[in-house]
Structure formats: structure tokens, C-alpha cells
């Protein structure tokens, strides 16, 4: 019997696109329902673009972008945004770095001025660099070195799966590399990657398109034109033999394991990629999902299990190569080999026997709910559209994602499950607290 399909609602967020003469791409998505705006600038540079010997540099440079700019002293960005009742931040990803604000709509010009000013040039001084190196080192201590399961698995699994430096290195960076960074390195990184032609500006929320267009031209139009650098080829061959490693985490109270399998290119083969996005949710989303029901509730072999696409967890903002990940925490004395065997059994069962009636529709409805809820916020909408414009030239794809997820068929999910074979798997095991 065919599984029941979910009825997926659609959104109709507008996406007005244009480019300035300096190469900056712009996406406007007006929504007059509340007097709030989201502003996002996304640069096409991330962890994978870091040169050897400069691990962690993309993230370090993100910090430097908040240390003053051409016409603004240090901390002025903070003061101007918070003084208008707004919030701001930035984040570094594998393939891009973003900077963003949420503000009352009457502060649109303020946000545009702030972003344009640092696009012209951040204040790259020895004092700012040394200060931010120390800040990043402390962030690594808090989030990785002194935290149970720190960096698991987003930092610990890529070097097992991949062989090349761009894909395998530590994106947070080593202390040696961070401490050896120079102002000249930062200036070169800015010239190479923080070009107007390598960026997308997105504004979402309570805006008038004509007025916003005029303001964007006023503030960004005279940013010096620099073209986008040629993007390196990060592709690697798939695994043909299973790879597995283990390490001891002295702070971890329980064993853990994470596994990853390569998936189709999210940009070049989006139709082939989508079934894996759905498969990850079929396996792990909710108590009725395959692996939660089997590993957590029935066998009690793990205390939790999760699955997702991409090492940083967002399936729709990553380029190839990427992977489907499964990670689980085990009870004391848990058997990692048994967990991996059970995963293989469940994947085989899914590929051979298919899905239960209603299983796929339930999963797709939950996925659509998450997508619709996330993009209800104007800032998330701006960020997602900016990345979709940058990587695909299709910001309007945001409206199509719930429908496309809902159109994935049982046959496609079964075929995806059949490819997740042990010989294509990379795994990393966490041994708790010095246990042998």
C-alpha cells in the first residue's frame, strides 16, 4: 500500500533581486505585517577557504569585523544597533560568513550605513587583532577544550571522512595558527574575500522596495568594486572502505559515536540530495522515528540519537562535499559496535521493506512545519534568502522548500537508505573519562 502523502502549505514571500555596479547582489523581501526588519550581509567565504597554516582565520576575521570600520570607532556598531532597540551578530560557516541585524523598520538606513561602512574596510590594527585572537582562544576553551563532547562531531568527524585540508581541518583553529596571524594576513583576507562582488545583501520585513533600493544605492553604491575570487574546487572521491577512529574525552560522562556518509551534491543534484534530507528525519525525528524507536525505546542501546545533513546542521546552506550524519550518546558501558550494527539493520530494513503507512507523510509534515516556522521571522528569512541567492541564484527557492520536501517519494527514500553502506561510512567514537 502506498504511504499517505502530506499536504504541504506554501509561502509566497516576494524576492526582489538586483545588483549594483560594484557587483553587490541585493535581495529585498517586503512584509509590512509588523514594523520590524532583518538585514543580512553574506560573504562567500567560510572555513573551507582558509589557507593552510591559518586554521580558524575565517572565524577570527568575523570577530575583526566588529572592531570598528572606516568611519566608526571600536564598539560603535554595538552602540548604534542596540541604541535603536536592535540586536546583531555574525557567524562563520563552512562555505560563507554572515553578519546580521534585527531592528525597528525606522532604523533601516542606520543598518545599511553600518554594513556598508565595514564592507569598505574594518579597522585592522595590531591591537584589535591581538585582542580578538585572545577572545577566539577563550571561545575555543569554553566551547571545545573545557566542555564535554566539545567539537563532537563537527570538528572531530571531518578529518576521519576527508583527506584534503579544506574539508578536514579544524575550523575553530589551533592556538599556534591563531597566534601567528598578522595584520597583513587580515588585510589580504579582506581584499581577497570581502569584496562587494563576493557578497549578498538581503533585507526583509517592513520596507518600501523603492525607498530601500534608493538607500542601498546611496550607502553601498560607492563601495569600491572588487570581483569575487575564483572559488576553489573542494571535491573529494567517496569512501570505498569504512573509516573509524576513537578518542578519549576526559570530560565526557558517557560514550558517544557519530557516523557520516557522503550524499549527492546539494547544488548540482538537488533532486538527488533531497531524499537524504528526508531520510535523516525518517530515521531520527521524534519518538516514532526508526532509530529512536529501535535504539532508544526498544533496545535501550543509546540515550539519544539524532540525524541531519551537513556538519553544521543546516541542509540548505552547504556546498559539496557534504554528508548525512547520525550521532548517538550511549549509557554507561554501551556497545558502539552493536549500535552501528543496529543502524545497518534498520537501513537495510528500510531499503528492503519500505515505510509504514503514514510514516513518510508524518515526517514531511513535521519538516514543513519547521521550515515554515523558521522563516516566519524576518531575520531568518533574510539570512536564508541571502544564502540561496549566493549559492544558487534562487532566493525564491525558500518558498518552494516545504513543497519540494513533500514531493520526495517513498521510492527515493528507500533508494537513499540503500546507499548508506558500511564501506562508505566514516565514524568517530568518544571514549568517556579516560576509560580504556
Amino acid at each position: 500500500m502506498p504511504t499517505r502523502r502530506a499536504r504541504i502549505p506554501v509561502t509566497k514571500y516576494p524576492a526582489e533581486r538586483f545588483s549594483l555596479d560594484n557587483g553587490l547582489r541585493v535581495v529585498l523581501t517586503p512584509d509590512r505585517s509588523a514594523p520590524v526588519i532583518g538585514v543580512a550581509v553574506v560573504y562567500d567565504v567560510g572555513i573551507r577557504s582558509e589557507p593552510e597554516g591559518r586554521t580558524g582565520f575565517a572565524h577570527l576575521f568575523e570577530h575583526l569585523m566588529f572592531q570598528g570600520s572606516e568611519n566608526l570607532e571600536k564598539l560603535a556598531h554595538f552602540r548604534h544597533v542596540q541604541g535603536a532597540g536592535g540586536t546583531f551578530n555574525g557567524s562563520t560557516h563552512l562555505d560563507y560568513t554572515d553578519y546580521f541585524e534585527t531592528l525597528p523598520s525606522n532604523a533601516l538606513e542606520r543598518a545599511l550605513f553600518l554594513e556598508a561602512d565595514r564592507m569598505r574596510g574594518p579597522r585592522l590594527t595590531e591591537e584589535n587583532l591581538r585582542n580578538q585572537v585572545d577572545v577566539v582562544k577563550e571561545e575555543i576553551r569554553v566551547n571545545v577544550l573545557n566542555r564535554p563532547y566539545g567539537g563532537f562531531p563537527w570538528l572531530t568527524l571531518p578529518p576521519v571522512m576527508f583527506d584534503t585540508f579544506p574539508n578536514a581541518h579544524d575550523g575553530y583553529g589551533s592556538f599556534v595558527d591563531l597566534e601567528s596571524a598578522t595584520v597583513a594576513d587580515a588585510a589580504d583576507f579582506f581584499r581577497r574575500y570581502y569584496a562587494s562582488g563576493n557578497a549578498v545583501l538581503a533585507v526583509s520585513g517592513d520596507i518600501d522596495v523603492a525607498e530601500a533600493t534608493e538607500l542601498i544605492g546611496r550607502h553601498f553604491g560607492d563601495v569600491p568594486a572588487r570581483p569575487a575570487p575564483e572559488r576553489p574546487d573542494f571535491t573529494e572521491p567517496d569512501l570505498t572502505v569504512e573509516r573509524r577512529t576513537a578518542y578519549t574525552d576526559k570530560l565526557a560522562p558517557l560514550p558517544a559515536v557519530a557516523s557520516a556518509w557522503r550524499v549527492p551534491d546539494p547544488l548540482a543534484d538537488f533532486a538527488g540530495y533531497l531524499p537524504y534530507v528526508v531520510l535523516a528525519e525518517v530515521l531520527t525525528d521524534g519518538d516514532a522515528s526508526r532509530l529512536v524507536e529501535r535504539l532508544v525505546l526498544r533496545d535501550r542501546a543509546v540515550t539519544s540519537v539524532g540525524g541531519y545533513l551537513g556538519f553544521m546542521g543546516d541542509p540548505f546552506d552547504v556546498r559539496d562535499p557534504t554528508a548525512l550524519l547520525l550521532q548517538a550518546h550511549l549509557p554507561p558501558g554501551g556497545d558502539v559496535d552493536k549500535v552501528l550494527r543496529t543502524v545497518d539493520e534498520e537501513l537495510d530494513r528500510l531499503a528492503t521493506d519500505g515505510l509504514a503507512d503514514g510514516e513518510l507523510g508524518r515526517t514531511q509534515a513535521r519538516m514543513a512545519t519547521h521550515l515554515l516556522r523558521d522563516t516566519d521571522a524576518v531575520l531568518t528569512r533574510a539570512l536564508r534568502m541571502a544564502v540561496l541567492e549566493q549559492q544558487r541564484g534562487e532566493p525564491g527557492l525558500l518558498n518552494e522548500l516545504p513543497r519540494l520536501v513533500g514531493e520526495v517519494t517513498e521510492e527515493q527514500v528507500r533508494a537513499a537508505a540503500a546507499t548508506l553502506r558500511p564501506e562508505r561510512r566514516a565514524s568517530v567514537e568518544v571514549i568517556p573519562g579516560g576509560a580504556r
Side-chain angles (χ1 to χ4, degrees):
M1 178 184 295
T3 59
R4 290 194 298 269
R5 302 288 294 276
R7 297 181 61 184
I8 305 296
V10 298
T11 55
K12 296 181 179 179
Y13 298 125
E16 304 281 345
R17 304 169 63 220
F18 62 93
S19 296
L20 301 185
D21 291 343
N22 58 16
L24 177 68
R25 286 180 283 169
V26 180
V27 179
L28 303 179
T29 174
D31 177 356
R32 311 307 292 268
S33 60
V36 180
I37 56 167
V39 177
V41 177
V42 176
Y43 294 90
D44 199 347
V45 58
I47 290 168
R48 283 201 262 224
S49 298
E50 294 170 345
E52 293 193 51
R54 288 295 180 265
T55 58
F57 204 87
H59 177 232
L60 173 62
F61 197 87
E62 175 216 317
H63 280 244
L64 290 172
M65 287 285 279
F66 289 95
Q67 301 306 302
S69 53
E70 186 172 271
N71 294 295
L72 293 169
E73 72 278 12
K74 189 172 183 175
L75 301 182
H77 192 107
F78 299 60
R79 187 175 68 253
H80 286 297
V81 174
Q82 293 173 335
T87 60
F88 65 94
N89 212 331
S91 59
T92 307
H93 302 252
L94 291 178
D95 296 304
Y96 67 92
T97 306
D98 56 26
Y99 303 87
F100 47 88
E101 296 86 18
T102 301
L103 286 156
S105 55
N106 63 3
L108 171 62
E109 186 168 14
R110 179 178 302 210
L112 296 176
F113 165 74
L114 293 171
E115 290 296 349
D117 203 59
R118 61 178 166 187
M119 185 178 286
R120 290 187 188 90
R123 294 202 176 192
L124 303 176
T125 67
E126 185 67 23
E127 178 186 0
N128 285 342
L129 177 61
R130 300 275 69 88
N131 173 269
Q132 291 309 302
V133 166
D134 288 341
V135 170
V136 171
K137 287 168 61 180
E138 184 61 22
E139 188 175 327
I140 294 170
R141 292 187 187 100
V142 170
N143 291 337
V144 180
L145 301 179
N146 296 320
R147 172 178 292 188
Y149 312 105
F152 172 79
W154 78 277
L155 293 178
T156 56
L157 190 50
V160 183
M161 168 161 270
F162 297 118
D163 295 319
T164 64
F165 174 82
N167 297 319
H169 77 276
D170 180 347
Y172 246 144
S174 73
F175 282 10
V176 171
D177 284 357
L178 290 168
E179 290 166 353
S180 64
T182 68
V183 173
D185 293 332
D188 181 68
F189 196 83
F190 176 77
R191 282 193 300 267
R192 181 184 299 270
Y193 295 112
Y194 277 70
S196 53
N198 205 38
V200 174
L201 164 68
V203 183
S204 175
D206 184 21
I207 59 171
D208 175 82
V209 170
E211 178 188 9
T213 301
E214 191 276 328
L215 290 172
I216 289 167
R218 181 190 306 171
H219 290 283
F220 287 89
D222 64 350
V223 174
R226 299 198 312 279
E230 184 176 349
R231 186 179 303 111
D233 182 4
F234 298 130
T235 58
E236 288 193 37
D238 196 2
L239 299 184
T240 56
V241 177
E242 182 178 14
R243 295 181 180 181
R244 185 168 166 185
T245 191
Y247 68 96
T248 298
D249 183 338
K250 294 181 179 179
L251 300 177
L254 298 170
V257 64
S259 297
W261 297 260
R262 290 280 298 277
V263 296
D265 187 327
L267 304 188
D269 186 14
F270 193 48
Y273 173 78
L274 275 174
Y276 291 85
V277 181
V278 176
L279 172 61
E281 302 299 316
V282 167
L283 291 173
T284 64
D285 185 32
D287 288 349
S289 62
R290 293 293 178 109
L291 294 182
V292 173
E293 194 278 330
R294 173 75 187 274
L295 287 170
V296 179
L297 302 178
R298 191 198 316 174
D299 294 355
R300 300 188 183 277
V302 305
T303 58
S304 65
V305 62
Y308 48 93
L309 271 289
F311 288 91
M312 300 184 80
D314 191 328
F316 302 119
D317 71 353
V318 67
R319 293 189 173 106
D320 193 62
T322 188
L324 183 151
L325 283 79
L326 296 174
Q327 68 180 76
H329 290 78
L330 285 66
D335 187 339
V336 168
D337 290 326
K338 180 180 178 182
V339 170
L340 294 178
R341 287 195 303 271
T342 303
V343 169
D344 292 337
E345 291 172 11
E346 288 300 314
L347 288 169
D348 287 342
R349 186 167 71 89
L350 177 55
T352 302
D353 300 336
L355 290 88
D357 185 35
E359 184 178 8
L360 179 59
R362 179 186 68 239
T363 302
Q364 290 167 320
R366 288 169 67 102
M367 294 177 71
T369 298
H370 294 319
L371 287 167
L372 294 168
R373 181 189 62 202
D374 289 347
T375 55
D376 189 54
V378 292
L379 177 59
T380 306
R381 208 177 308 157
L383 285 165
R384 295 285 172 84
M385 283 198 174
V387 175
L388 290 171
E389 168 63 35
Q390 185 175 83
Q391 296 184 352
R392 302 171 181 270
E394 295 183 78
L397 183 63
L398 186 72
N399 292 313
E400 302 297 321
L401 289 176
R403 177 184 62 81
L404 292 171
V405 163
E407 290 178 353
V408 171
T409 67
E410 177 182 357
E411 291 72 22
Q412 290 175 307
V413 174
R414 293 175 63 178
T419 70
L420 304 190
R421 307 301 305 161
E423 63 270 17
R424 297 183 60 242
R425 179 173 63 205
S427 298
V428 61
E429 176 184 353
V430 177
I431 301 170
R436 293 187 180 276

